[in-house]
Amino acid sequence: MVLAAASLVLFSGCNHAAAGHAGAPTTTSTTTAAGAHTYRGTAQFTGTLTAFRAPDALTDPIPTPFTLTVPDAGRGGFTITGADIDGDEETIVWSGGRPLPVTGTCGLDVGEVPVVLTPAGATFAIDGGARALTAGDCMFNSSVAVGNGGLAEPVPSVSFLLHTDAAFKPTGGTSVTVGPVRRYEGHRGAAEATGTFTVTTQRGDTWRATRVTLGNGTWILDVTKAASGALAVQAQFSGDLTVA
């Protein structure tokens, strides 16, 4: 899913209205006895990111190479239909017996899924819904079964062409881990970022923080690599926030 062009205004000011919100939210804040700030409204923060998680995240399609895995070998996987192999339309089945490296010009559209982000990578849990391999040349570089009409034979790898995006429904806890540097969005639900941040609220408050938690709302996270090698972040959370 290509991220909305409207997200490009993220850091031009504090009156960005994320998808799902009509107008600017009410801005109120309190300070707890432990020194945490609770805030209802929109806040931006920048700094160094050590971890991030959200149950409903969107990102642009993931280009190859990437590798799909399941936690228990041989349990799970997915089926791809409409794969063009030497001019014949075939079905490809991956049973999760081994990790599945994917190369070529196709990509992976994960849709809206849970994400866990650390400096080591971003892991998307892609079970629970329809995902898509985008059109292009593709190669599965591990054991799969290939066939049509109910007949399939195991092969050690397979190259194929997708004329259009191919939808599939992974099972068994299938996930993909890629480099963390990219843009992420959430149009609903919760999110939590930890690191070292400067937080600026819509009404002009500025706080230093090591944790920013969104209880419910919308968010945008833009992650780059700093010269030091750490993850640099620019983000905007809108909704019910706790800053600590």
Side-chain angles (χ1 to χ4, degrees):
M1 179 176 294
V2 177
L3 301 185
S7 66
L8 296 177
V9 303
L10 170 59
F11 304 113
S12 63
C14 290
N15 40 359
H16 169 78
H21 283 260
T26 303
T27 58
T28 60
S29 65
T30 60
T31 302
T32 69
H37 306 280
T38 60
Y39 181 76
R40 169 66 179 171
T42 297
Q44 296 181 352
F45 60 93
T46 61
T48 300
L49 185 73
T50 57
F52 176 82
R53 65 177 60 240
D56 298 289
L58 298 163
T59 193
D60 286 331
I62 296 168
T64 58
F66 56 83
T67 298
L68 301 173
T69 62
V70 294
D72 299 315
R75 300 182 62 181
F78 59 81
T79 298
I80 294 287
T81 60
D84 182 336
I85 302 177
D86 297 328
D88 295 324
E89 188 173 291
E90 305 279 6
T91 296
I92 303 173
V93 179
W94 174 59
S95 63
R98 296 179 180 178
L100 182 66
V102 181
T103 57
T105 61
C106 62
L108 174 62
D109 188 344
V110 298
E112 189 174 25
V113 294
V115 65
V116 175
L117 169 64
T118 69
T123 298
F124 297 92
I126 64 173
D127 273 11
R131 315 303 169 201
L133 283 177
T134 61
D137 293 301
C138 214
M139 184 170 185
F140 289 168
N141 298 284
S142 189
S143 299
V144 293
V146 176
N148 57 45
L151 301 176
E153 296 184 359
V155 295
S157 64
V158 62
S159 296
F160 57 97
L161 172 64
L162 294 175
H163 297 286
T164 61
D165 293 356
F168 65 99
K169 293 184 177 181
T171 61
T174 304
S175 66
V176 59
T177 300
V178 297
V181 175
R182 59 179 37 245
R183 177 173 288 229
Y184 311 79
E185 292 186 11
H187 293 174
R188 60 180 180 174
E192 182 178 78
T194 58
T196 304
F197 310 122
T198 299
V199 182
T200 304
T201 70
Q202 190 174 20
R203 71 177 193 178
D205 301 310
T206 299
W207 299 314
R208 300 290 185 182
T210 58
R211 185 182 304 272
V212 182
T213 303
L214 176 67
N216 185 51
T218 63
W219 56 269
I220 303 173
L221 193 81
D222 198 2
V223 179
T224 58
K225 187 65 71 71
S228 64
L231 294 184
V233 63
Q234 292 183 302
Q236 178 172 288
F237 283 7
S238 296
D240 300 313
L241 305 178
T242 300
V243 181

